[in-house]
Amino acid sequence: MTSDSAARLLQDRAVLWSMGELSAPDLVGAACDALVSGLDSPTLRRLAALTRAEAAYDVRELLPGVLDELGLVCPPPGSTAGQEAAARVLCRRALRGELSPRALAFWAHRSHGHELPLTARLAELDDAYGTIEYGGPTAAGLDAEVTVEARRLAAGP
């Protein structure tokens, strides 16, 4: 893994953590992965050294310093920008096959309902999965539509 891809992965995991989609110990694991991949900074080393018990308390304090030292950004927790960034991260994961199209649509619907304009189409597609057994669209067709939407969203900023 290149240092650029390690930085992107660390930033993505920071976004997911800030939105409650990733645990603090998992973020510590991401910091370890980043170090192994060649990223380095004093605060990144401190973050990577946290125990599982310490992570729950210290990630919030250390993460801003890590991001600053590495020139990475993470939207504020709970912000619309953070919700949109998390959606894009999960879309990229779905496109890599780490998350099924149906799971992506379900996540968008569960997390944001139809309220977040960026993910509203995914929520509609999640609704459509519920009509399959009643002669609605096929699962394969919906999976394809979710994949198209994931590509569109992943290509965003």
Side-chain angles (χ1 to χ4, degrees):
M1 178 183 307
T2 67
S3 60
D4 286 345
S5 59
R8 176 61 178 249
L9 186 58
L10 180 62
Q11 182 171 323
D12 285 354
R13 289 181 177 171
V15 166
L16 292 177
W17 174 82
S18 75
M19 300 312 295
E21 298 293 333
L22 188 76
S23 72
D26 287 339
L27 188 58
V28 170
C32 292
D33 293 344
L35 282 171
V36 169
S37 297
L39 290 181
D40 194 14
S41 81
T43 311
L44 178 62
R45 282 183 250 129
R46 287 181 56 207
L47 179 62
L50 293 177
T51 65
R52 294 182 70 78
E54 293 168 332
Y57 301 101
D58 295 341
V59 163
R60 186 171 308 283
E61 176 187 324
L62 294 174
L63 185 59
V66 170
L67 297 173
D68 185 53
E69 290 168 359
L70 297 174
L72 303 174
V73 295
C74 182
S79 66
T80 299
Q83 293 170 343
E84 291 176 349
R88 287 188 170 95
V89 168
L90 291 174
C91 285
R92 288 191 295 273
R93 287 185 64 196
L95 293 172
R96 288 190 306 261
E98 298 170 14
L99 188 65
S100 72
R102 189 170 193 164
L104 176 62
F106 176 76
W107 170 84
H109 201 183
R110 174 186 50 92
S111 298
H112 309 295
H114 296 266
E115 302 304 312
L116 185 65
L118 186 79
T119 61
R121 179 67 182 138
L122 290 173
E124 290 170 5
L125 292 167
D126 183 55
D127 287 336
Y129 278 107
T131 67
I132 292 171
E133 63 188 68
Y134 303 108
T138 66
L142 289 171
D143 287 351
E145 286 189 62
V146 169
T147 300
V148 167
E149 186 65 6
R151 277 192 192 100
R152 185 184 75 78
L153 296 180

